[in-house]
Amino acid sequence: MPRRPALVITGPTAVGKSQLVESLLAHFPDAFEIVNADALQVYRGLDIGTAKPSKAQLLANKHHLIDIRDPNQSYSLGDFQNDALVAVDQILSQGKIPLLSGGTAFYIKYVISGYLETPQASQELKNYVESALKAGGLDALYVLLQELDPARAAQLHSHDKQRIMRSLEITLASGKKNAEFIRVKTDSLYDCLCFCLTRERSDLITRIAQRTVEMFEAGLGQEVESLFRQGYSPSNSALKAIGYQEFFVQSTDQKYHLRLDLHEIKKQVQIHTAQYAKRQMTFFRSIESLQFIQAPVREQYLAELWQSINMLREKVKKWQDCVNAG
């Protein structure tokens, strides 16, 4: 099967990805369906803090991979690989362009460059690891990893739950050490037109501060309170995310409690988000084939982008013809 044509719009948080996507949708109505490439927007209930598209936006344009997990469920790069491929094939079969939009750098790197091929754990195996965690705690899982793959265990902090669990899944699914997969790399399944939005650092910091204020005004505190009442906390990896973890404090008995000092929480969210945006840009600059666009995007460049989209539509038609021909 030929590589799948797709459009990628990425960039650091608050850079203006959503505005560019909206311009594309307005200029090319019915040409795209959107595939979420944000690791947090997959979670139900994490809406305001993840800048998830509004209900009106979700109704106006088809979105994939949004609200597909509860906050206490895991979602790995492997899950994204599988789910994105299914969504992209569905979109292409309709003659539309898959538009992958989001800022999770590892997702973008996989789409553009391919990624390390590691075995996928069955749901039964995932349930086994989850049960072992509940029965013996994280310390027991870490000891098990030390027994099965001591080299990998030595690379991880004993409290790094997500990586410990994933490392165990790889070892148990394959019977091999994690290091044996380091050099096994797949080619990309996608023929991408890939853009990364950038901004002057000072401008981006201002936008991050403003968006943080808007999130609190929109009810971010109430959203976190609701999640906490449902039993979710940073013990679930989803709520370790920036914009959520800052609301919690852990007592000496290891239980989580909500903080009350909203002014300090808001300040921490702004600082952590700015630090995260800097790390995102460092990672994006390491990805080959990523074309950088300075925001706000000039009209002249938008015209060039529209022309590139028309060329991408031709690739979609050729892909369909090739697949239909068998």
Side-chain angles (χ1 to χ4, degrees):
M1 181 179 290
R3 293 199 300 162
R4 297 155 174 84
L7 175 65
V8 172
I9 302 292
T10 191
T13 185
V15 74
K17 297 183 293 292
S18 296
Q19 291 90 331
L20 180 56
V21 168
E22 288 173 5
S23 295
L24 286 167
L25 296 175
H27 198 83
F28 296 97
D30 299 322
F32 298 97
E33 287 188 10
I34 299 169
V35 181
N36 168 47
D38 183 301
L40 293 174
Q41 291 186 2
V42 303
Y43 292 108
R44 303 179 188 96
L46 276 69
D47 302 329
I48 298 172
T50 65
K52 192 177 291 179
S54 67
K55 291 181 178 179
Q57 290 171 319
L58 293 174
L59 287 172
N61 297 282
K62 176 70 174 178
H63 288 67
H64 300 257
L65 312 191
I66 285 182
D67 291 341
I68 58 173
R69 290 288 192 280
D70 290 326
N72 61 344
Q73 296 177 308
S74 63
Y75 194 76
S76 67
L77 174 62
D79 293 323
F80 174 77
Q81 289 174 308
N82 295 332
D83 293 345
L85 191 61
V86 170
V88 166
D89 281 351
Q90 288 177 351
I91 296 166
L92 289 172
S93 69
Q94 301 172 56
K96 295 185 177 182
I97 301 172
L99 197 173
L100 291 93
S101 177
T104 299
F106 280 109
Y107 289 3
I108 300 302
K109 184 175 177 66
Y110 157 70
V111 170
I112 296 174
S113 307
Y115 208 73
L116 301 182
E117 191 173 53
T118 54
Q120 296 303 304
S122 65
Q123 190 59 52
E124 182 179 6
L125 179 53
K126 289 183 178 181
N127 291 341
Y128 168 77
V129 174
E130 288 278 0
S131 298
L133 174 66
K134 292 179 181 178
L138 187 57
D139 288 343
L141 286 190
Y142 188 67
V143 169
L144 178 58
L145 183 61
Q146 286 177 314
E147 294 174 356
L148 297 176
D149 192 348
R152 179 56 176 161
Q155 295 173 339
L156 303 178
H157 192 284
S158 60
H159 294 164
D160 192 345
K161 183 176 76 171
Q162 189 167 353
R163 288 187 174 87
I164 290 171
M165 294 178 70
R166 177 57 185 147
S167 297
L168 276 173
E169 289 173 0
I170 290 172
T171 297
L172 292 171
S174 66
K176 299 178 181 180
K177 304 291 191 291
N178 280 253
E180 296 183 45
F181 295 96
I182 288 176
R183 297 188 180 278
V184 181
K185 184 177 180 300
T186 65
D187 292 327
S188 175
L189 301 174
Y190 303 92
D191 179 10
C192 292
L193 182 62
C194 309
F195 298 100
C196 179
L197 279 178
T198 66
R199 281 185 185 269
E200 293 295 332
R201 177 69 178 168
S202 59
D203 186 17
L204 186 60
I205 295 296
T206 299
R207 289 174 61 88
I208 287 171
Q210 180 59 37
R211 191 171 78 164
T212 302
V213 170
E214 292 171 354
M215 285 179 170
F216 275 78
E217 291 175 347
L220 178 58
Q222 291 89 331
E223 179 171 286
V224 175
E225 288 178 15
S226 175
L227 290 165
F228 187 57
R229 286 197 300 270
Q230 295 173 61
Y232 302 123
S233 73
S235 61
N236 310 117
S237 59
L239 267 70
K240 287 186 173 73
I242 296 169
Y244 294 92
Q245 62 172 330
E246 292 84 2
F247 282 87
F248 293 91
V249 62
Q250 196 170 20
S251 58
T252 53
D253 60 1
Q254 302 301 303
K255 292 183 179 179
Y256 284 100
H257 305 274
L258 286 176
R259 295 171 56 188
L260 301 176
D261 48 340
L262 289 180
H263 178 75
E264 183 62 24
I265 294 171
K266 188 185 301 181
K267 181 179 177 181
Q268 289 185 1
V269 171
Q270 291 175 344
I271 292 171
H272 294 163
T273 305
Q275 293 170 339
Y276 174 58
K278 185 176 182 180
R279 293 195 300 271
Q280 284 177 296
M281 279 308 305
T282 299
F283 196 104
F284 288 137
R285 291 191 183 99
S286 72
I287 302 177
E288 297 180 2
S289 304
L290 200 54
Q291 302 179 52
F292 292 89
I293 306 174
Q294 185 72 22
V297 183
R298 298 190 305 271
E299 288 296 326
Q300 179 182 354
Y301 197 91
L302 282 176
E304 295 176 6
L305 180 57
W306 303 156
Q307 186 175 359
S308 298
I309 299 300
N310 285 322
M311 294 173 63
L312 192 57
R313 297 174 89 168
E314 291 301 317
K315 287 187 176 183
V316 170
K317 292 177 182 177
K318 290 180 180 179
W319 185 89
Q320 281 189 301
D321 290 343
C322 184
V323 171
N324 293 334

